[in-house]
Amino acid sequence: MKLKNASPLIVVSILGIISIILPVFILGNLKPYESPLFPLLRTGIEGISKYSFLFLLLSGFIVKLFSDAPSWKIGLMSMVLFPLAAICEMIADPTSHTMFPFEFIGYALYTIPALAGAYTSQLIKSFVKAATRYFKK
């Protein structure tokens, strides 16, 4: 991996966490869940909302708009910290994630909004680039 692509991927990982946690504060009426290490993350995942998906979409769009990182990496990195957090919780309390394979499939599905945002941004960038090339002639 090129070092110039590392920082956008780190940024999108952090934005992925924020995209899931921020609606917990926006909605306010979500039932708080207990968790061995990360109760706020669990509350965000259990109470996932349209705001979470919107924030993930915007995260992928904005990061791709300002970077040359591949769109598929942006999508995957938007949710990479969630399986890592789940593994840490399973180490801390082996009974906490009894359905973890399905949980990881859910995390894979949650990459779709960030992927869609990144590919949309890539498409818009290519149209703008083609239009500027066309009008320069």
Side-chain angles (χ1 to χ4, degrees), residues 7-91:
S7 56
L9 298 179
I10 292 169
V11 167
V12 79
S13 297
I14 293 167
L15 287 174
I17 293 279
I18 292 170
S19 297
I20 300 298
I21 292 176
L22 191 60
V24 171
F25 300 109
I26 292 172
L27 297 174
N29 59 353
L30 292 176
K31 174 189 169 216
Y33 288 90
E34 291 185 21
S35 178
L37 298 176
F38 309 108
L40 196 56
L41 279 181
R42 180 164 182 220
T43 302
I45 287 293
E46 297 288 338
I48 198 148
S49 68
K50 60 183 175 188
Y51 296 113
S52 300
F53 294 122
L54 177 67
F55 293 149
L56 284 169
L57 182 101
L58 289 173
S59 297
F61 184 86
I62 290 168
V63 169
K64 182 61 182 176
L65 192 63
F66 294 107
S67 76
D68 291 330
S71 297
W72 66 271
K73 284 185 183 179
I74 290 172
L76 290 179
M77 291 299 288
S78 68
M79 294 303 287
V80 76
L81 295 178
F82 290 92
L84 294 175
I87 290 169
C88 291
E89 286 188 344
M90 284 188 277
I91 291 170

Side-chain angles (χ1 to χ4, degrees), residues 5 13 24 31 41 44 55-56 60 74 78 87 96-97 100 105 109-110 112-113 118 126-127 129-130 133 137:
N5 286 342
S13 297
V24 171
K31 174 189 169 216
L41 279 181
F55 293 149
L56 284 169
I74 290 172
S78 68
I87 290 169
S96 64
H97 292 265
F100 74 90
I105 291 169
L109 292 174
Y110 294 158
I112 293 171
S126 67
F127 281 143
K129 193 175 188 180
R133 235 184 284 134
K137 291 181 178 182

